[in-house]
Amino acid sequence: MSGTGQPVLEARGVVMRFGGLTALSGFDLTLHSGELVGLIGPNGAGKTTAFNALTGVYAPTEGDVEVAGRRVNGMRPHQICELGVARTFQNVRLFKELSAFDNVRIACHAGSRSGFTSAWMLTPTHDAEERRIAARAEEFLSVMELSPRRDELARNLPYGEQRRLEIARALATGPKVLCLDEPAAGMNASEKVALLELIRRVRDQFQLAILVIEHDMRLVMGVSERMLVLDHGVTIAQGAPEAVRQDPKVIEAYLGDGKLRLRPPREAGTGVP
Ligand SMILES: Nc1ncnc2c1ncn2[C@@H]1O[C@H](COP(=O)(O)OP(=O)(O)OP(=O)(O)O)[C@@H](O)[C@H]1O
Ligand SMILES: [Mg+2]
């Protein structure tokens, strides 16, 4: 059940400073298995910075991050990934010259038990492990509705399918927590709705905790049980979507002086190293 037991991810008082700029301040987050939380806020609000601090891209300037009760401050991204936190990036990151299947297969290797010696000797253990990994890769392609595109080079996939392939790769590392940075960016409205519904089904199937950044507040409200709103690095509201939407601070952050501060969909973003 969500909301009880030990959190899978917890951030307490996380601060990220870049020189004189405080990109994130006093960031608190508690995530339990099975929760889908929307992280929203205008451009430059600190959303990607929060992901970077949670996943080890940056060590927090202050505060603590814990994964299943274990403090991970200062750990490398691959170590935090091994503990069960996977992410996608605002800009698609794939092995563009490899097939969809190989992209996922490589990610599956992160959780593989097959060691270097068995790989080198091509032992029966290694063969069995390779078959197990291939089957898992097929499964994650299927979950993300990419099986028909299995042998296509990643660079030839339409943008929306590249985004789904990134999520398949993240799932292949066997996470407990999945952090998705604008997974629906650059998609049209109906593609966005379909993707967010798919993300919700993935959450249900794997009982993951999912933290999803999305600019369109109405869209993410439809699939999240809880929302967290950042503005200028500060959490200005959090809670049930409907209450958050009506919060005067959120309306102000989104509308400011009457002009929409949201940008049109784009591929590139700030804060991605
Ligand atoms: N590595 C960095 N060095 C210096 N400043 C940074 C760095 N990363 C992020 N920032 C700054 O921190 C602030 C928050 O950026 P961040 O990318 O987290 O915002 P965001 O909410 O993800 O915005 P967007 O919606 O545009 O993706 C911005 O002012 C950004 O320029
Ligand atoms: Mg961002």
Side-chain angles (χ1 to χ4, degrees), residues 83-160:
L83 290 174
V85 182
R87 76 174 288 182
T88 62
F89 288 86
Q90 199 162 340
N91 301 308
V92 173
R93 293 186 179 188
L94 293 167
F95 295 109
K96 300 261 174 157
E97 302 301 324
L98 295 182
S99 68
F101 173 73
D102 281 337
N103 265 278
V104 183
R105 192 172 59 86
I106 287 167
C108 284
H109 270 279
S112 165
R113 290 188 302 274
S114 179
F116 172 76
T117 309
S118 67
W120 183 64
M121 309 262 306
L122 294 175
T123 60
T125 323
H126 176 70
D127 285 352
E129 185 69 356
E130 279 299 320
R131 279 196 300 278
R132 193 186 66 83
I133 284 173
R136 276 174 62 78
E138 303 282 6
E139 183 196 340
F140 292 120
L141 281 176
S142 165
V143 165
M144 294 313 295
E145 300 173 351
L146 286 167
S147 297
R149 315 294 274 161
R150 181 191 188 284
D151 298 319
E152 199 71 62
L153 294 186
R155 72 173 151 83
N156 292 337
L157 294 175
Y159 185 63

Side-chain angles (χ1 to χ4, degrees), residues 154-229:
R155 72 173 151 83
N156 292 337
L157 294 175
Y159 185 63
E161 292 185 348
Q162 292 193 15
R163 288 249 163 219
R164 296 214 301 275
L165 184 55
E166 268 215 304
I167 299 174
R169 280 177 51 78
L171 285 174
T173 65
K176 300 183 189 83
V177 181
L178 189 56
C179 300
L180 304 174
D181 196 344
E182 298 200 41
M187 295 183 182
N188 66 37
S190 63
E191 288 172 331
K192 281 185 178 215
V193 170
L195 181 69
L196 288 168
E197 288 297 338
L198 178 57
I199 288 168
R200 187 151 69 171
R201 289 201 298 277
V202 165
R203 183 276 306 266
D204 294 343
Q205 183 173 347
F206 296 96
Q207 271 304 294
L208 297 176
I210 299 185
L211 186 61
V212 58
I213 296 176
E214 166 57 49
H215 264 280
D216 189 325
M217 179 160 51
R218 279 162 311 169
L219 261 181
V220 78
M221 272 180 64
V223 293
S224 325
E225 290 91 31
R226 193 150 62 87
M227 311 255 286
L228 203 134
V229 191

Side-chain angles (χ1 to χ4, degrees), residues 23-40:
L24 191 67
S25 75
F27 182 75
D28 294 324
L29 173 73
T30 304
L31 270 183
H32 289 90
S33 291
E35 278 194 298
L36 204 167
V37 176
L39 179 57
I40 66 169

Side-chain angles (χ1 to χ4, degrees), residues 18 21 23 41-50 58 90 182 215 263 266 269-271:
F18 301 108
L21 174 81
N43 289 143
K47 305 179 297 295
T48 298
T49 301
Y58 301 131
Q90 199 162 340
E182 298 200 41
H215 264 280
R263 47 123 207 251
R266 67 187 162 112
T270 57

